[in-house]
């Protein structure tokens, strides 16, 4: 190889470049690359913002931010916000004046129960009047209520973390999970007896665990590190919380004219970073069952997870179907469903807070758990 020719070409290129650049000010040559990097960074930030928010939301957000720059507009908005805050605080201040703010110098002793009864008497009469608040009817001292109260008092001081000590609690949790799974398709041939899960403190925790497990499962399966999930606008707000907790990009998609999840619209949002889509049976806002079968087919075709929120309908739909009502497919009999959340403290008529999260198999559920890496950590 002729290195002299190569050196000559490089020398000629250097001379030409120096001759061309000599016509510019040195300061300009220094500033131009910095300005280019700054401009590229700004463009990248704008594109990232539009990607995260979506074009429509990004434009609306930019418009609202611009409006707030108008003199007087921000002051007006802040004043209106403060009015709401003041109103909320003033409505509760009179009640809070008598609340304890530190440990009393003298204990209540035998007056504790009387104090609790007195305060409880000030609660609103909710029996049969508060939809979506309490799901058990009747008197608090009779029937189902009395059984729950006695059962809770028996196990109020147990610690389920210590499986070897409280073996009865371990058994009861396993039985509740198994019975719930049996209602929702664990007996189907396709399930292969793999449906599993855990009890949680409520529907929000069940959803959080299902989302976390789906994120980590898809990371191990597809190597997805910038996770995204797609949910209909009718989905529970727990998914917003999960997205923030677990750093998942969340897409909320408008529902169709029947207030159901729009399968075609959800499909348009699926990309290589999608880990999870969501359906509800039924959704809390409208009591309408999403097209679970179609969503399951969509999830299967893309090889992604599909969570069904059965917090409201988990202990209603199986029995309605058994009674002959035309209930569309909603459980693990649907191919593509990978997890479910089912609230036992709703129509399972258990005390608050009691819920179950279920997974199609152990391979997905294992990603729910966190293992400490040092002996001093207990998880």
């Amino acid at each position: 190889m002729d290195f002299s020719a190569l050196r000559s070409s490089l020398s000629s290129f250097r001379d030409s470049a120096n001759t061309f650049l000599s016509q510019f000010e040195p300061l300009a040559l220094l500033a131009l690359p910095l300005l280019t990097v700054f401009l590229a960074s700004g463009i990248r930030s704008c594109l990232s913002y539009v990607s995260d928010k979506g074009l429509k939301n990004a434009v609306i957000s930019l418009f609202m931010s611009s409006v707030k720059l108008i003199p007087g507009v921000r002051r007006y908005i802040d004043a209106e916000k403060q009015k709401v805050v003041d109103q909320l605080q003033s409505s509760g201040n009179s009640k809070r004046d008598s609340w304890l703010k530190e440990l009393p110098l003298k204990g209540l002793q035998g007056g504790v129960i009387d104090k609790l009864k007195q305060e409880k008497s000030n609660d609103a009469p909710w029996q049969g009047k508060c939809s979506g608040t309490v799901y058990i009817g009747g008197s608090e001292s009779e029937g189902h209520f009395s059984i729950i109260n006695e059962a809770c008092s028996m196990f109020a001081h147990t610690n389920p973390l210590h499986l070897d000590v409280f073996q009865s609690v371990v058994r009861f949790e396993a039985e509740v999970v198994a019975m719930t799974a049996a209602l929702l398709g664990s007996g189907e041939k396709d399930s292969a007896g793999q449906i599993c899960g855990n009890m949680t403190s409520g529907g929000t925790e069940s959803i959080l665990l299902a989302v976390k497990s789906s994120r980590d499962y898809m990371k191990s399966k597809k190597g997805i590190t910038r996770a995204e999930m797609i949910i209909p606008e009718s989905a529970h707000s727990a998914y917003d919380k999960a997205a923030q907790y677990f750093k998942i990009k969340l897409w909320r998609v408008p529902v169709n004219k029947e207030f159901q999840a729009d399968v075609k619209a959800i499909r348009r949002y699926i990309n290589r970073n999608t880990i999870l889509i969501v359906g509800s049976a039924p959704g809390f806002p409208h009591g309408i069952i999403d097209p679970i079968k179609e969503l399951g087919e969509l999830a299967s075709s893309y090889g992604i997870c599909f969570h069904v929120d059965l917090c409201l309908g988990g202990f209603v739909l199986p029995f309605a179907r058994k009674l002959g009502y035309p209930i569309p497919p909603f459980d693990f009999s649907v191919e593509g469903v990978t997890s479910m959340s089912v609230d036992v403290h709703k129509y399972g008529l258990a005390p608050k807070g009691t819920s179950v999260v279920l997974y199609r198999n152990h391979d997905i559920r294992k990603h729910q758990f966190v293992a400490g890496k040092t002996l001093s950590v207990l998880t």
Side-chain angles (χ1 to χ4, degrees), residues 111 163 271:
L163 311 182
N271 58 47

Side-chain angles (χ1 to χ4, degrees), residues 23-162:
Q23 59 186 312
F24 298 100
E25 289 287 338
L27 183 61
L29 294 176
L30 179 64
L32 184 61
L34 295 176
L35 181 61
T36 302
V37 170
F38 179 77
L39 183 62
S41 177
I43 293 174
R44 180 181 179 183
S45 297
C46 290
L47 292 176
S48 177
Y49 183 78
V50 172
S51 176
D52 288 341
K53 294 280 188 178
L55 180 60
K56 180 180 178 181
N57 290 335
V59 171
I60 293 175
S61 180
L62 178 63
F63 173 75
M64 293 303 298
S65 298
S66 302
V67 168
K68 290 178 182 178
L69 296 175
I70 300 175
V73 173
R74 177 174 288 278
R75 288 195 301 272
Y76 175 78
I77 293 175
D78 290 342
E80 291 300 310
K81 287 182 178 179
Q82 192 59 45
K83 285 181 183 178
V84 176
V85 173
D86 292 341
Q87 184 178 359
L88 291 173
Q89 291 180 342
S90 62
S91 62
N93 280 342
S94 58
K95 297 179 181 179
R96 293 174 181 265
D97 290 341
S98 61
W99 291 7
L100 292 175
K101 298 177 178 61
E102 57 185 19
L103 288 172
L105 296 176
K106 183 179 180 182
L108 297 177
Q109 298 178 354
V112 172
I113 299 301
D114 291 336
K115 177 68 173 177
L116 294 176
K117 289 180 178 179
Q118 178 186 346
E119 290 299 324
K120 193 174 188 303
S121 67
N122 296 325
D123 291 346
W126 51 264
Q127 287 84 350
K129 299 179 180 180
C130 297
S131 175
T133 305
V134 180
Y135 293 80
I136 305 174
S139 169
E140 292 181 76
S141 59
E142 298 175 354
H144 192 65
F145 265 115
S146 63
I147 295 175
I148 287 178
N149 293 337
E150 184 176 358
C152 287
S153 66
M154 290 172 62
F155 295 92
H157 299 286
T158 60
N159 186 343
L161 278 176
H162 297 274

Side-chain angles (χ1 to χ4, degrees), residues 141-265:
S141 59
E142 298 175 354
H144 192 65
F145 265 115
S146 63
I147 295 175
I148 287 178
N149 293 337
E150 184 176 358
C152 287
S153 66
M154 290 172 62
F155 295 92
H157 299 286
T158 60
N159 186 343
L161 278 176
H162 297 274
L163 311 182
D164 55 334
V165 179
F166 302 104
Q167 298 180 33
S168 58
V169 178
V170 177
R171 172 182 173 173
F172 296 148
E173 177 182 10
E175 289 182 342
V176 170
V177 171
M179 288 187 288
T180 304
L183 288 173
L184 301 171
S186 66
E188 299 290 332
K189 292 182 179 180
D190 293 341
S191 71
Q194 284 285 308
I195 294 175
C196 53
N198 290 92
M199 294 192 70
T200 70
S201 62
T204 293
E205 186 184 6
S206 291
I207 289 172
L208 289 174
L209 290 175
V211 172
K212 189 267 182 190
S213 302
S214 299
R215 182 199 66 176
D216 294 353
Y217 173 68
M218 292 302 293
K219 182 178 180 180
S220 69
K221 183 180 178 182
K222 289 188 173 184
I224 297 175
T225 56
R226 301 181 64 182
E228 300 181 16
M229 64 177 173
I230 308 165
I231 67 174
E233 286 184 340
S234 55
H236 196 276
S237 59
Y239 298 101
D240 296 271
K241 183 178 289 187
Q244 292 184 30
Y245 279 2
F246 306 127
K247 300 186 184 306
I248 300 172
K249 184 175 178 180
L250 178 68
W251 294 104
R252 273 193 177 270
V253 179
V255 294
N256 60 24
K257 294 180 180 180
E258 286 74 38
F259 299 100
Q260 291 179 307
D262 191 326
V263 179
K264 291 183 179 179

